[in-house]
């Protein structure tokens, strides 16, 4: 995520910015992400990626002061409504829910964190487990083929 030449393909780099911002914010080093967010703002303004405007608002919320973050998260969720991107919306919901929980706004956090995709993770955390219990449903496996390095008969 460094500026300058030889940083990789521009579009791939832009796709990584929201992950980078989230990682730096959660690591307590949000100042590292500010230049990348400004580059991402240019990308979002190009309208090449319909998810980018909502992701930009989420990035800004992650880096914002508490008195500004709430409105940014809400604006990001509103922008997600304009596009078909359930994964990115769920990611914003999760980060917003965690933000609400850290501010002791538990009722509001529950509405964000209680979504089905996060429910098993939240239940596991509430019970003191680090992850949800393993599913007991059989895992579909591909049919066995020839051993590596051998030719089929």
């Amino acid at each position: 995520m460094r500026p300058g030449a030889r940083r990789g393909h521009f579009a791939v780099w832009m796709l990584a910015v929201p992950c980078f911002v989230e990682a730096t914010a959660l690591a307590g080093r949000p100042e590292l992400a500010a230049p990348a967010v400004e580059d991402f703002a240019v990308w979002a303004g190009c309208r090449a990626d319909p998810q980018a405007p909502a992701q930009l608002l989420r990035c800004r919320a992650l880096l914002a002061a508490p008195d500004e973050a709430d409105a940014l998260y809400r604006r990001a969720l509103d922008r997600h409504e304009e596009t078909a991107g359930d994964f990115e919306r769920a990611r914003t919901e999760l980060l917003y829910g965690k933000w609400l929980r850290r501010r002791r706004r538990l009722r509001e956090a529950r509405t964000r964190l209680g979504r089905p995709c996060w429910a098993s993770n939240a239940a596991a955390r509430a019970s003191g487990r680090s992850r949800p219990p393993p599913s007991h449903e059989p895992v579909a496996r591909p049919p066995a083929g020839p051993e590596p390095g051998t030719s089929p008969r």
Side-chain angles (χ1 to χ4, degrees):
M1 300 306 301
R2 289 182 234 146
R6 307 192 57 78
R7 64 180 177 183
H9 191 277
F10 176 77
V12 174
W13 188 73
M14 285 295 111
L15 293 173
V17 169
C19 297
F20 176 71
V21 172
E22 183 178 338
T24 60
L26 295 176
R29 304 286 310 271
E31 70 280 359
L32 298 175
V37 171
E38 295 314 310
D39 287 346
F40 193 74
V42 173
W43 169 257
C46 292
R47 302 176 193 244
D49 178 357
Q51 291 295 319
Q55 291 173 308
L56 175 62
L57 287 164
R58 180 177 71 216
C59 289
R60 292 198 188 284
L62 283 163
L63 303 179
D67 61 329
E68 298 171 358
D70 188 61
L72 288 166
Y73 276 119
R74 289 176 185 272
R75 286 178 51 207
L77 290 168
D78 288 344
R79 290 302 297 263
H80 282 301
E81 290 297 322
E82 299 169 9
T83 61
D86 291 341
F87 178 79
E88 291 300 332
R89 179 180 175 72
R91 212 166 141 187
T92 301
E93 292 263 13
L94 175 66
L95 290 167
Y96 185 36
K98 288 179 174 183
W99 183 88
L100 290 165
R101 188 180 62 209
R102 285 191 303 273
R103 276 140 193 87
R104 304 276 186 226
R105 293 167 59 182
L106 302 179
R107 182 171 291 147
E108 292 172 86
R110 264 187 235 111
T111 64
R112 304 292 174 190
L113 297 173
R115 302 270 189 245
C117 58
W118 310 122
S120 64
N121 194 10
R125 187 173 182 148
S127 68
R129 294 188 308 267
S130 61
R131 65 184 78 175
S135 171
H136 294 291
E137 296 179 21
V139 176
R141 300 196 191 289
E147 290 292 318
T150 63
S151 60
R153 294 179 193 208

